[in-house]
Amino acid sequence: MSAGARAAALVAAAALAGGCGEGERLESDDLPAAAARLHVSSPAFTEGSRLPARYTCDGAGDEPVVRAGTVPPSTSELVLIVTDPDAPGGDYVHVTRYDLAPRGDGDVSEGGRTGRNSAGGTGWTPPCPPRGDAPHRYVWAVYALREPTGLPPGAAPGDVADEVRSGVVASGTISARFGR
């Protein structure tokens, strides 16, 4: 392999290790806040705390359990969007989940359909900010929707955001920080 090819491979590997991907990103104003609030919580972390390494690229990369709490009776579907608003280039999307049932224990970390993330794949991408950066914020936003999104598996983050904007009845967030 030539020196130029090796350098290009190292740059690509560093971008992936830093949590950066070429997939679609969102702008912070792409997602609305609703008048009704959901009490979003997690047994893995508390609001504003440090995200345990188990849920990051420095650990197993597990997706933490997040619960939506009690949702309005008019809710037909829940949507989860996890972003890193401190990532360069706009909000890095770690996962989108939609078509989530609004009943049961309120767990929005499993089930439903999964859309694309900013790494270009589907499913959960664990937080992995560049080494030396100030800790990044990770925001788990849950939306209660009046009507089903009807989105197919693998929907783009922008398409999920469009559906949220068109019929949100309640929303809530929980956030954590992580740096390397």
Side-chain angles (χ1 to χ4, degrees):
M1 179 183 286
S2 72
R6 268 194 303 269
L10 286 173
V11 168
L16 288 173
C20 297
E22 296 301 321
E24 183 177 344
R25 295 180 183 232
L26 297 174
E27 294 299 322
S28 293
D29 59 355
D30 282 345
L31 297 167
R37 302 295 302 158
L38 296 174
H39 177 72
V40 180
S41 64
S42 175
F45 60 92
T46 58
E47 172 62 37
S49 68
R50 178 173 164 64
L51 187 65
R54 168 184 172 184
Y55 305 105
T56 73
C57 66
D58 286 347
D62 296 336
E63 184 174 358
V65 171
V66 173
R67 294 190 177 102
T70 304
V71 299
S74 62
T75 303
S76 67
E77 180 176 324
L78 294 172
V79 173
L80 168 70
I81 301 175
V82 181
T83 59
D84 172 359
D86 299 324
D91 288 9
Y92 185 95
V93 177
H94 287 271
V95 72
T96 59
R97 290 193 191 286
Y98 41 92
D99 196 23
L100 294 161
R103 310 290 178 258
D105 68 356
D107 184 349
V108 293
S109 306
E110 294 182 349
R113 295 179 177 178
T114 305
R116 288 198 313 264
N117 55 44
S118 292
T122 57
W124 171 249
T125 298
C128 199
R131 291 191 187 278
D133 269 16
H136 287 211
R137 293 171 293 142
Y138 298 91
V139 180
W140 283 255
V142 180
Y143 301 92
L145 303 183
R146 186 174 294 109
E147 300 295 330
T149 63
L151 291 169
D159 293 339
V160 177
D162 287 345
E163 291 296 324
V164 166
R165 275 194 300 277
S166 71
V168 65
V169 294
S171 65
T173 63
I174 187 170
S175 65
R177 295 184 171 277
F178 178 68
R180 303 172 63 218

